Amino acid sequence: MNNKEKQILEERLENAFQNGVALFLEGTPALPSEIAGKCVGEDTVYMADYVLDDKGILRELRYDRVSCWK
């Protein structure tokens, strides 16, 4: 992931966060910049786990098994 991709990911996560979506990295609450910063060090693209409530509204984005810890 390059810097442009990192910026795009961070902006998307920030938008979700501002709209009340909880963000988690390895099971711990995290900020958009933390998640983007960890994922940018990887050679792979991460797919978040989307957690919906009983009405189908997105409530959580979870990033697990991120191996690079800068």
Side-chain angles (χ1 to χ4, degrees), residues 23-34:
L23 305 175
F24 293 87
L25 180 64
E26 300 296 341
T28 302
L31 296 172
S33 59
E34 293 174 300

Side-chain angles (χ1 to χ4, degrees), residues 8-47:
I8 291 168
L9 174 60
E10 189 170 342
E11 288 172 1
R12 288 181 180 168
L13 291 171
E14 183 64 38
N15 185 43
F17 185 71
Q18 292 299 322
N19 284 297
V21 176
L23 305 175
F24 293 87
L25 180 64
E26 300 296 341
T28 302
L31 296 172
S33 59
E34 293 174 300
I35 294 171
K38 300 299 182 196
C39 291
V40 77
E42 296 289 317
D43 290 332
T44 188
V45 175
Y46 283 98
M47 179 66 167

Side-chain angles (χ1 to χ4, degrees), residues 4-5 10 16-19 24 31 34-36 38 45 49 52 55-60 66-67:
K4 180 67 173 169
E5 291 169 323
E10 189 170 342
F17 185 71
Q18 292 299 322
N19 284 297
F24 293 87
L31 296 172
E34 293 174 300
I35 294 171
K38 300 299 182 196
V45 175
D49 293 321
L52 308 176
K55 295 179 183 175
I57 297 172
L58 179 62
R59 294 297 178 200
E60 297 179 3
V66 178
S67 60

